[in-house]
Amino acid sequence: MSNSPIWHPFTQMKTTPPPLKVKRGEGVMLELEDGRQILDCISSWWVTIHGHSHPVLAEALYQQAKQLEQVIFAGFTHEPAEKLATGLLKHLPKSLTRVFFSDNGSTAIEVALKMAYQYWFNQGEKQRTRFISFEGGYHGDTVGAMSVGSSSPWWQTFKTLMFATDIVPFPATFDEDLNVATHEAQALDCLAELLQKNSHSYAGIFIEPLVQGAAGMRLCRPQFLQELAKLARTHGVLLIYDEVMTGFGRTGELFACLKSSTCPDILCLSKGLSGGCLPLSVTVATEEIYQAFYSDDIDRAFFHSHSFMGNPLACATGNASLELLTQNPAAFAGMEALHRRYMETWLSGHPKIERTRICGTIAALDLKAESESYLNATGSKLRSRFLELGFLLRPLGNTIYLMPPYCITPTQLESIYEVIRRVVDE
């Protein structure tokens, strides 16, 4: 039993090894208390997009801390939040016009749920109480977010707390997938059937665009999202994108909605929003949705808040991060070509590997295994072995994925593929 009072996430505390104590981070490297160096291959749960201890982000945080660290966001505003909201909208589809701040990805989803629900309620369509989501989707660990991700494997304990949603298949694809068009058609047919039967009961459709993260980095094609958007528009149901993970360059463009040439009605962003420095999220909506709340009637207002929403420190790092992204788009736009080169060099044709797939800065592969469950022992064994060799990789069951900070060098990136090959051979 550990002497630490800390209860760690996604961990069976009785059986897990003692946590590794990190002393400092710089770029893609973490230094442990005992002096060991670990290469962070997953951006510390997908947030540290520019690398650890980035001097530009640190300076922005320092300067803002000397001026204003926090202020209530009801009835007040400040320059860092105004600048960040305006800056984000410049890079998003033009129909997205209103930015609602909160403080983490799950909360951004909860905001979207309530916003979509009340949008219809304010217009007298009180029967629109259901949501549609996709098999394998993960949207966070709060109760509403769990409900729209109800097919994920971790939440059986909480089923009675969660509200019912309708789940449709996700047409996961991979390199050289010959059946992708068939699977997309099946998913769209399933969705169309639901909408045709009872479209007036649905408030919105949730999806992680292009990449389902926690489900195992499962990809879908832009063509599928375009057809999904057409169906949502045809049946008058809101389309809600969870870009908590895919935003800020992860798919090779700033946002998955841009890469797929689609525009949701509501967009959720977090993780890389502050460059990984501080908790921060936004839920961005169209003007039409905003206007459904804009009224002389106080009952039509959106009653949702958080103590640290629009926090000046987080917004300051968000502004600095967005500037870094726009100054050097090649840092994320050029990584896909490197992934493909090293995947081909080190792992192509390996008899233990299947379903390789790459989208922008994200690369993934599946190890052939009897069980593909997230909860099988393969992932924890792989994670321990990679750490022994100096690499922070956190497999999702039998799926090994890479999502490195954008500051990684080609040599460092290739070294990850080398160590994957070594461990798979073992």
Side-chain angles (χ1 to χ4, degrees):
M1 181 180 294
S2 171
N3 292 324
S4 171
I6 297 174
W7 194 341
H8 289 270
F10 271 70
T11 300
Q12 175 45 264
M13 296 299 293
K14 184 174 182 179
T15 59
T16 191
L20 301 176
K21 195 166 186 178
V22 179
K23 184 177 180 181
R24 64 169 56 89
E26 182 176 358
V28 298
M29 302 304 298
L30 296 168
E31 182 182 338
L32 304 185
E33 191 177 45
D34 61 10
R36 280 184 291 163
Q37 298 286 319
I38 304 290
L39 198 159
D40 186 351
C41 311
I42 59 167
S43 301
S44 285
W45 253 346
W46 321 342
V47 301
T48 311
I49 57 176
H50 304 293
H52 297 279
S53 304
H54 197 290
V56 171
L57 301 182
E59 180 64 19
L61 182 58
Y62 168 66
Q63 293 298 337
Q64 185 58 44
K66 293 194 298 180
Q67 185 170 337
L68 177 66
E69 82 301 337
Q70 167 65 4
V71 66
I72 182 176
F73 213 55
F76 291 87
T77 189
H78 49 78
E79 194 270 342
E82 296 282 350
K83 182 178 178 181
L84 183 55
T86 302
L88 286 172
L89 293 179
K90 287 180 181 177
H91 298 286
L92 291 171
K94 295 190 183 302
S95 59
L96 294 170
T97 61
R98 300 290 173 167
V99 179
F100 191 94
F101 283 94
S102 53
D103 51 10
N104 64 79
S106 294
T107 301
I109 296 295
E110 299 288 345
V111 170
L113 276 165
K114 291 173 66 175
M115 191 180 284
Y117 182 95
Q118 191 178 344
Y119 165 75
W120 296 111
F121 188 95
N122 281 1
Q123 298 181 97
E125 295 200 44
K126 299 178 183 180
Q127 80 285 356
R128 289 185 181 261
T129 60
R130 293 187 69 86
F131 290 88
I132 297 172
S133 54
F134 285 83
E135 171 264 325
Y138 171 86
H139 302 284
D141 293 316
T142 49
V143 173
M146 287 193 296
S147 298
V148 291
S150 60
S151 60
S152 291
W154 309 294
W155 301 321
Q156 295 305 312
T157 304
F158 308 111
K159 280 290 186 183
T160 56
L161 288 178
M162 293 153 55
F163 58 78
T165 55
D166 290 308
I167 308 294
V168 296
F170 182 82
T173 188
F174 47 88
D175 295 345
E176 302 177 4
D177 179 6
L178 301 179
N179 299 311
V180 59
T182 300
H183 292 152
E184 288 174 349
Q186 290 170 346
L188 292 167
D189 286 347
C190 181
L191 178 61
E193 184 178 358
L194 284 175
L195 293 174
Q196 287 164 5
K197 282 183 177 178
N198 208 6
S199 63
H200 294 295
S201 68
Y202 292 114
I205 303 168
F206 276 86
I207 190 169
E208 298 160 87
L210 294 183
V211 188
Q212 280 189 334
M217 300 301 156
R218 303 201 307 165
L219 310 187
C220 71
R221 299 193 301 176
Q223 298 96 305
F224 174 73
L225 294 178
Q226 291 160 12
E227 293 303 313
L228 167 63
K230 288 179 186 177
L231 272 176
R233 283 197 303 272
T234 298
H235 292 278
V237 178
L238 298 181
L239 181 59
I240 303 163
Y241 275 7
D242 175 355
E243 287 217 45
V244 168
M245 183 271 282
T246 57
F248 304 101
R250 277 295 166 206
T251 64
E253 293 196 27
L254 267 180
F255 300 101
C257 58
L258 303 181
K259 185 162 184 170
S260 61
S261 300
T262 56
C263 180
D265 299 288
I266 299 175
L267 176 69
C268 302
L269 300 169
S270 189
K271 289 197 182 291
L273 175 56
S274 72
C277 282
L278 288 168
L280 182 65
S281 65
V282 293
T283 303
V284 191
T286 62
E287 189 66 20
E288 180 181 351
I289 290 173
Y290 176 78
Q291 289 298 326
F293 296 80
Y294 194 74
S295 170
D296 293 327
D297 185 354
I298 187 63
D299 289 339
R300 294 171 68 90
F302 188 46
F303 286 106
H304 190 103
S305 71
H306 297 274
S307 301
F308 287 94
M309 63 187 302
N311 174 257
L313 299 174
C315 289
T317 60
N319 285 314
S321 176
L322 190 58
E323 189 170 345
L324 287 171
L325 288 169
T326 55
Q327 285 175 347
N328 186 22
F332 56 86
M335 198 181 294
E336 180 166 330
L338 292 174
H339 275 311
R340 294 198 180 278
R341 181 195 308 172
Y342 302 141
M343 185 79 81
E344 175 69 25
T345 300
W346 291 98
L347 302 174
S348 178
H350 197 289
K352 296 181 182 177
I353 290 172
E354 59 185 354
R355 294 191 291 267
T356 60
R357 50 207 184 270
I358 296 168
C359 181
T361 69
I362 304 166
L365 58 94
D366 294 341
L367 292 185
K368 294 178 181 178
E370 290 183 7
S371 170
E372 297 184 359
S373 167
Y374 175 89
L375 301 175
N376 71 34
T378 303
S380 60
K381 290 177 181 177
L382 288 168
R383 183 165 67 247
S384 297
R385 181 61 179 139
F386 285 129
L387 283 172
E388 288 174 6
L389 297 170
F391 293 81
L392 172 52
L393 285 158
R394 192 178 171 88
L396 298 158
N398 67 313
T399 297
I400 300 174
Y401 74 91
L402 284 67
M403 199 186 296
Y406 304 155
C407 61
I408 195 168
T409 67
T411 300
Q412 289 170 325
L413 185 59
E414 186 171 19
S415 73
I416 306 172
Y417 282 89
E418 289 183 67
V419 81
I420 291 173
R421 175 61 184 251
R422 174 178 170 180
V423 171
V424 171
D425 284 342
E426 290 176 357

